[in-house]
Structures are given as C-alpha cells and as structure tokens.
Amino acid sequence: MNTGYALLHRATQALRRHADVTLVTPPTTACACCARPWHDVEDPGQAAEYKYGVNCAVEYVCTTCYTPRIGSEAMLGIERYSVGNRDNPVYAKLGMLPGSAGVITPSGDLHLALPQALYDKFQSGLWAQRGQLHRLSGLGLLTHLLHQGELDQRAQGFVYVEQWGRKADALMQRFMASTSLQELWCNSESGATPLDLHAMLDTARRVIAMDLAHKADKPAFWRPITDAARGQRRDSAFDTWLTQVPDPEALLTALPVNPHDRLRLTTMMRELIPLLQASRVDVPPVQGALL
C-alpha cells in the first residue's frame, strides 16, 4: 500500500465520517485517478462516483482520491454562500484551497498552512479547534513541526503538500510520502517533485554564518550557479562569484546536487533564511545527524 495515500486516508477519516458520500462497488478494475487496483486502495472494493461535468461520463475513484473533493462544514467550515442565497452554504474542501499547503505527520495528523483569509474563515471547524490550522507558509509549517518533534519518526513516512490548489485529480494522481529531508516529495496540483530540503537548510545556515543573507535572497547572487544548472556556465561570472563568498568551498559543498533544486535556490532562501534567523528550526552541519 502506498504510504502517501495511506497517511492521507488515516488523517481524514473524520472528514469522510461527517460527509454524506454514497459508496458503490466499482465496475472498473482500478481507480480512475490514481490508477491503483481496487484491492490495493485503502477501502478495497469501494468507490465514489464522480463526474467532471454534466455531460461527462461517470468515473469511479477510490475513497482516498475522492477525499479532497468532499466539502466539510465540521472539519473546515463554510467557504462561501451561493450567490443570492444565504441559505445555501458551500463547504470548504481540501481540493479547493488555493495558496495553501499541508503536512501529514507519521502519526497521521493533518496540519494545514493557510493564508490569513482562509485561516480566519475556518476557525469554527474541528481542525482549527484542535490546533491543526496554521498561519504559516508550507515550509514554515514543515520546519515548525520539525522543531516541535512531530516528524521525529519520519522514517515511517510523512506527507508534504506544497500546494493543495484547485486540481484535486492532478494532486492525487501521484501522492508521495517522504522518509527523509534529503528527498522531500513536494505534492501539488502540478504533480509530485523531490527536493533536497536538508541541503537547502544547510545552505541557508551557511549563508547566514557568512553574513550573506542580504544577498542570497536575490536572483543575481545565485546567477552563476543557476546558469550552470541550466547548462550555461560562464567561467568569468563564476570566478567573480567565488571572490564574493568568504568560504566558497563550504557553501558549494552545502548546495543541493540536483540541478532542478539549484534553480530553486532564490525562492528557497527567501523562505528559509527568515525561518532560521527567527530560530524556528535548528540545522546541524553536514557531518551531523539529519534533522
């Protein structure tokens, strides 16, 4: 059984329990979303019917893949009211949370990172009452849970949702769990992509120690590195960059190896440097144990 799907299923049992969803025995061989055979899903042999539009054919999806499509007043709250009808509320769904992220811990607890407007809107839901809604960025939430020890058993698997978005079918087609910060799977409506978060954290720590934080959040600082990651290395620019870094060997050693990760250096430094400076997470040196 896939750990990512299993953790989402465990973390959202209460959501489905409060939902009015009719399950059927599917006439197909596999879930239309994740393509897992019915005997491999979390509720074997059970499916929810789903139509993408009025004239579209009925599709059968497993209960886990259907979960982001479930509106829940009890767990989240009211998203909005139908236009011109205050008696017809539209309940919030995990699959309709633009700008929001989330983490599912190894123990199966779902934490949501929400923009201020959504955070305020969903304070009546059970997840808010249990302290599982956070006014943080996705990485802010992840490092907060690391600092709190919620991910100490991450070798058992945890889930990082970088972006819930509005495309539940794309999000659920490949829902990956992570067991290490060196290969953090970032799930989103654009698919699941790996990230060496440990290297990014160590890079941010070294940048701060070298008093380069005010430069490292700008694309120009990393341009010789990102250009090389694109296969456009310019030796003169790289030589100039080396003279601007107090200990270039230490910084280069800390950088993620994957070129795709290096292309995200500016974005990641903009998020991680303030988190480290605020002492929200402690990062060991490369030779030490992983977070």
Side-chain angles (χ1 to χ4, degrees), residues 201-211 250-251 253-254 285-287:
L201 284 165
D202 197 47
T203 297
R205 181 184 66 80
R206 292 175 188 256
V207 159
I208 294 170
M210 296 179 196
D211 198 25
L251 186 54
T253 300
V286 172
Q287 292 84 1

Side-chain angles (χ1 to χ4, degrees), residues 15 68 76-77 79 91-102 110-115 118-119 121-122 127 133 161-168 171 189:
L15 186 154
L76 277 171
E79 163 61 29
Y91 302 131
K93 306 174 182 179
L94 289 176
M96 288 294 289
L97 294 178
S100 303
L110 171 64
H111 293 262
L112 297 175
L114 303 174
L118 295 183
Y119 178 83
K121 186 181 292 186
F122 300 146
W127 277 327
L133 302 190
V161 179
E162 186 175 43
Q163 171 68 260
W164 288 102
R166 291 191 174 96
K167 301 176 182 177
L171 172 69
E189 60 183 4

Side-chain angles (χ1 to χ4, degrees), residues 7 184 250 258 291:
L7 281 171
L184 174 71
N258 191 316
L291 268 171

